[in-house]
Amino acid sequence: MTYRRAAIPALTGALLLTALLWWAGASASALHLQGATDTLGGRTVADLQYWLSPWSYDPPGSGVPGGADVARYRTLYRTGMQIRFAAVFVLFVPGALLLVRRLPPVKGRMPVAMSAVWAWGMAAGALASTVSAPWLIASHGRGSYRILPQLAGMASSGQQITVIASFVTAVATVLVARIATEGSAAPGPAAVSPRAARLAATAGTALVALSLVVLSYESVAASIQSVSVSGGLLAEPGDLLRAWLLLGGWSAPPSGAVGGSVGSWALYRLADVLLLVVVWWALRLLPALLTRATVPAMAVGGFCATVIGLLVSQLFQCAVIGADTGGRWAWQYLNGALGGHVPAALTWGLLAGLTTVTVLRLAGGRPEAAGTVPSAPPAPSAPPVPPTPAVPPTPADGPDRPVG
């Protein structure tokens, strides 16, 4: 797919994602009405406010200080929100353009393309929240107080509604891309060595496992949390490091636990195993699905695989909690965990994709461009036939020679 064809669905998706998030944020003010509490219930209203407030132009609660400068703080807050929505649009376009071009939704690629664009929409939301965070922090009147923990909190905020908005955006983007690709040649799967693809996927998954298994263990995570820098704006970086480095959190089974306790602990850990399986399988298939396994495409693809693995893991763990508690705490877990760890997925997913494409090329499994058939070697030409030497003509019987 050419850039001109891919630009149409990318721009359509960016406009739709920005509009959906703006509409969700604008709806937050309606939750403060008494009728909303009477109709939905106090708990539901509180959960919806938690989802929508990060995208609202109205400061949450008493987020803006009072005093003579209240108008200036409110203006600064609105400026930060304008930057946030503009950043969502600007950041979504290049990633969607790359994915739609390298994963055109034809010949069974539609589910893969939709999942990748879905994940990239969540990345655009997380990055936009991070970019606009300095203006929003300053608008609260405490721009120099614990700025790194505040930055970590804002980078991870509002991801629940971004998951839903990104899914709707991904469906629309892929449908528009499907229409844009009609009439063009459908690229076939690229030829990739299975052994090299498995080796590369294992190397990329190992990086994700480093965060999920090693860094996310409670004692290691506590050490990361306790990292300190002497004073200034860079003090207390622990929260920020955890937000961008940890894909989960787990601990060893309680001492003395037997039987059902160990089984329950293993069942919860199965969610982490599921995440790694999804990442490995996606990295294994990605080089063949891409029309061309370039470094940017594999890096973004590694991030998308990590985010989809996170979503599968979160839904599985929600189901386990629901079965374990009779559904009592399942919604509360999903309310807080849905769409979480996207900043860490950016860090480790991009590294996993880069590692995968590097190992793939070193292992001699560089894929051929999709849709191309390797040309057969030219047939060896026949050796030149040496010219036949001329045979002197046999003298014809002439007239009778005189005898004697």
Side-chain angles (χ1 to χ4, degrees), residues 203-220:
T205 308
L207 278 178
V208 178
L210 173 64
S211 170
L212 187 65
V213 178
V214 179
L215 299 183
S216 296
Y217 184 62
E218 59 176 356
S219 59
V220 181

Side-chain angles (χ1 to χ4, degrees), residues 168-229:
V168 177
T169 299
V171 174
T173 302
V174 170
L175 289 178
V176 174
R178 181 63 182 268
I179 296 173
T181 56
E182 288 185 358
S184 60
V192 183
S193 167
R195 178 181 173 276
R198 288 193 295 268
L199 179 63
T202 303
T205 308
L207 278 178
V208 178
L210 173 64
S211 170
L212 187 65
V213 178
V214 179
L215 299 183
S216 296
Y217 184 62
E218 59 176 356
S219 59
V220 181
S223 300
I224 295 175
Q225 179 71 45
S226 60
V227 172
S228 62
V229 178

Side-chain angles (χ1 to χ4, degrees), residues 48 52 71 125 130 152 206 232 251 284 290 355:
L48 289 176
L52 303 181
T130 304
S251 60
R284 161 71 178 83
L290 293 169
T355 302

Side-chain angles (χ1 to χ4, degrees), residues 351-375:
L351 290 176
L354 292 173
T355 302
T356 301
V357 69
T358 302
V359 174
L360 187 66
R361 294 181 177 183
L362 291 177
R366 186 186 184 106
E368 299 288 340
T372 62
V373 179
S375 58

Side-chain angles (χ1 to χ4, degrees), residues 53 115 133 253 276 358 393 403:
S53 293
S115 301
L276 295 177
T358 302
V403 180

